Amino acid sequence: MKRFSLLTLNFMSHQVKKDFSVISFSICCFALLGSTLIHAKESESYQYEKLPPPRTLTQEQAKVAEANYKKYCILCHGENRQGHVNDHAPSLRSQSLFQSGVPHAVLRAMSFGREGTPMGGYLDEIGGPMSLDEVWNLTYWLFEKSGAERVKLSTEPVHGDIQLGEKVYQKECASCHGKKGEGITAPALGNQSALAHNTDEFIRYAIRHGRQDTPMPAFENKLSSTEIDNITAFIRSRGKDWTMKTTVLKQLPTPDKYIINPQGDNPKFKLQDGLYVSSEDLNNALVKKQRMVLLDTRVTSVWQRVHIEGAIPLPYYADVAEVVKDIPKDVQIIAYCSCPRAAADSIIHQLRSMGYKNTATLYEGIFGWMNFGYPVMHGEISE
Ligand code: HEC
Ligand code: HEC
């Protein structure tokens, strides 16, 4: 199993390297051929060859996959895989995603996450809770549930005029995906993790066909084939240097280290809606060395990447009672996530029902905290 997973990782990093050569290749082509590419054939009709379904899950595998989905994914992607429940997490049942994205576009997003977005990595090798078998099985479970038929996509680069592509992008796409592809109400198309994992054809397929039952429209009848290629090339040109890191779990804090500043005073927070503490108030309390427990409620792999000093990982799917059993009931507890609040809220509600009354959620979440310039630290990272 270990050997198998290493092989797969090697394969993946090979793919990533290939993606980079694709990028440099596209850039070269652009430099060499320049505007001649604009004259590519207009409005060809797209014919995709169908692929047979991948292996079918056994009943046992499907049961585990469904349980994993419920435990780890519902919070943002929704009970019925409909998406957009929290953080504009995409639909995990749209036909076009499962036609074009199985296995790798789905598997890799799930395994490694999307750096800088609320989507964390769930593979155990980067500190997540699922084994490689489990992420594969969950990928196929989502595919089976979607009822989609896979299409065969080329892994060749899509060529186009980057500058013309950007013009159309700003007009047609930026309102949802952001001027710099940073994502507003829709996925961050300029995200380095996404660009390292997704092929050009996968991106073009999404633009042509949209994502069914979501705000993402199909552009195949709205833009010309050349315009779609140009936008694809523009999006690809945003990919720079995302490399896959293997993070190892640093020793987790032991219960005797849970309380920050055990000798300090208790903070007195004014909570908004009886639940929320602001980044400013939390930072002041930390500077004054007040006594508290900080809970990072995201998937553990992202705690390793970055967390507020002293925060202990208590992911939203953990057994809360087990983790907090040694924490006295009077301590001030603050939970945060990147959602910006959904995962933390769910933990705080559980704690309150267990009798922990001095509890609050960090209002702006960890990304808001970082945007204000308040300090964070990294877990241990080894290549
Ligand atoms: C009205 C808002 C809106 C507009 C306009 C829009 N999109 Fe989207 N787009 C979305 C949403 C929302 C999603 C995620 C859908 C889902 O739930 O799967 C998405 C998904 C995508 C994806 C798939 C991303 C992935 O990782 O699977 C691509 C690629 C994409 N859009 C490109 C574009 C491009 C290029 C344009 C302009 C030509 C565009 N979009 C215009 C809202 C929009
Ligand atoms: C805290 C919220 C959150 C949780 C929990 C979460 N996701 Fe996501 N997920 C997101 C967001 C947000 C994105 C889009 C990020 C971006 O690219 O901007 C995303 C993207 C994805 C994508 C890429 C989809 C696409 O259209 O490209 C997949 C696949 C995915 N998530 C699967 C999962 C699975 C499976 C789980 C459970 C194991 C999970 N996610 C848990 C928020 C979440």
Side-chain angles (χ1 to χ4, degrees):
M1 157 64 199
K2 197 72 196 163
R3 198 164 60 95
F4 169 61
S5 61
L6 279 176
L7 275 177
T8 314
L9 273 180
N10 276 341
F11 165 69
M12 286 181 173
S13 45
H14 172 71
Q15 273 298 108
V16 171
K17 280 190 206 114
K18 225 170 89 187
D19 285 348
F20 289 130
S21 57
V22 164
I23 300 163
S24 20
F25 182 51
S26 324
I27 292 168
C28 275
C29 282
F30 171 62
L32 284 174
L33 303 176
S35 60
T36 57
L37 288 170
I38 310 164
H39 305 304
K41 206 164 57 169
E42 292 279 334
S43 69
E44 48 196 293
S45 67
Y46 322 123
Q47 293 298 331
Y48 295 99
E49 205 182 303
K50 292 261 159 59
L51 280 180
R55 70 178 160 85
T56 336
L57 297 181
T58 64
Q59 264 184 350
E60 190 47 40
Q61 288 169 331
K63 236 172 74 189
V64 175
E66 181 167 6
N68 280 336
Y69 182 80
K70 288 200 168 128
K71 190 168 176 191
Y72 302 126
C73 322
I74 277 188
L75 181 75
C76 304
H77 292 280
E79 196 162 343
N80 299 311
R81 299 161 284 114
Q82 73 275 28
H84 307 275
V85 170
N86 270 307
D87 304 329
H88 305 291
S91 156
L92 292 182
R93 66 179 191 202
S94 69
Q95 294 298 294
S96 64
L97 175 64
F98 289 92
Q99 283 159 355
S100 62
V102 170
H104 290 116
V106 171
L107 178 82
R108 290 174 185 165
M110 188 190 306
S111 303
F112 299 104
R114 299 262 171 89
E115 240 173 303
T117 80
M119 179 62 198
Y122 285 84
L123 180 64
D124 55 7
E125 295 182 26
I126 66 151
M130 283 196 275
S131 69
L132 191 63
D133 284 345
E134 285 177 303
V135 292
W136 272 104
N137 291 346
L138 183 48
T139 301
Y140 288 147
W141 181 79
L142 288 166
F143 173 77
E144 286 178 8
K145 288 298 239 184
S146 77
E149 270 190 286
R150 292 192 303 167
V151 299
K152 189 170 180 188
L153 294 183
S154 146
T155 51
E156 296 296 314
V158 168
H159 302 299
D161 183 311
I162 296 172
Q163 275 154 356
L164 288 180
E166 171 159 23
K167 278 209 186 100
V168 187
Y169 174 89
Q170 296 302 351
K171 185 161 164 274
E172 300 285 346
C173 326
S175 58
C176 300
H177 290 283
K179 275 195 160 52
K180 294 185 176 149
E182 71 277 18
I184 300 176
T185 56
L189 298 178
N191 184 277
Q192 299 305 307
S193 329
L195 284 169
H197 290 153
N198 295 337
T199 60
D200 288 10
E201 265 273 39
F202 172 81
I203 297 169
R204 180 164 71 178
Y205 195 85
I207 305 172
R208 282 179 178 169
H209 297 275
R211 293 276 189 247
Q212 295 74 21
D213 301 322
T214 82
M216 173 64 194
F219 285 92
E220 63 179 336
N221 297 321
K222 195 165 176 214
L223 298 175
S224 73
S225 168
T226 311
E227 282 172 316
I228 292 178
D229 288 358
N230 291 346
I231 300 177
T232 307
F234 164 67
I235 293 172
R236 171 56 68 205
S237 74
R238 307 290 94 183
K240 283 199 308 287
D241 54 1
W242 190 76
T243 48
M244 204 148 1
K245 292 193 184 84
T246 311
T247 44
V248 285
L249 258 194
K250 204 168 122 177
Q251 174 116 50
L252 289 177
T254 45
D256 58 308
K257 302 270 162 52
Y258 282 3
I259 300 181
I260 305 172
N261 308 320
Q263 312 305 335
D265 297 332
N266 291 324
K268 288 197 177 56
F269 290 130
K270 254 214 200 97
L271 300 187
Q272 187 191 320
D273 299 333
L275 185 58
Y276 298 115
V277 59
S278 69
S279 294
E280 188 182 359
D281 288 353
L282 175 60
N283 186 55
N284 286 340
L286 286 168
V287 170
K288 284 194 222 146
K289 301 218 168 303
Q290 293 180 325
R291 175 174 178 255
M292 67 184 98
V293 170
L294 275 180
L295 301 174
D296 187 318
T297 62
R298 302 169 301 160
V299 56
T300 334
S301 59
V302 290
W303 174 87
Q304 289 181 75
R305 205 175 285 141
V306 65
H307 59 261
I308 301 179
E309 185 168 7
I312 55 173
L314 193 163
Y316 59 89
Y317 48 81
D319 180 347
V320 182
E322 179 56 32
V323 178
V324 302
K325 66 179 187 313
D326 298 317
I327 301 178
K329 293 252 158 63
D330 70 308
V331 182
Q332 174 71 57
I333 300 179
I334 293 119
Y336 69 82
C337 59
S338 51
C339 322
R341 292 175 284 275
D345 282 353
S346 111
I347 295 284
I348 293 298
H349 291 313
Q350 291 181 60
L351 285 171
R352 288 188 175 180
S353 71
M354 289 159 52
Y356 289 88
K357 298 295 178 210
N358 288 332
T359 44
T361 294
L362 177 64
Y363 187 72
E364 296 90 351
I366 188 167
F367 290 145
W369 170 272
M370 285 160 71
N371 276 338
F372 288 128
Y374 297 129
V376 286
M377 56 181 295
H378 297 268
E380 197 147 278
I381 295 177
S382 73
E383 293 292 312

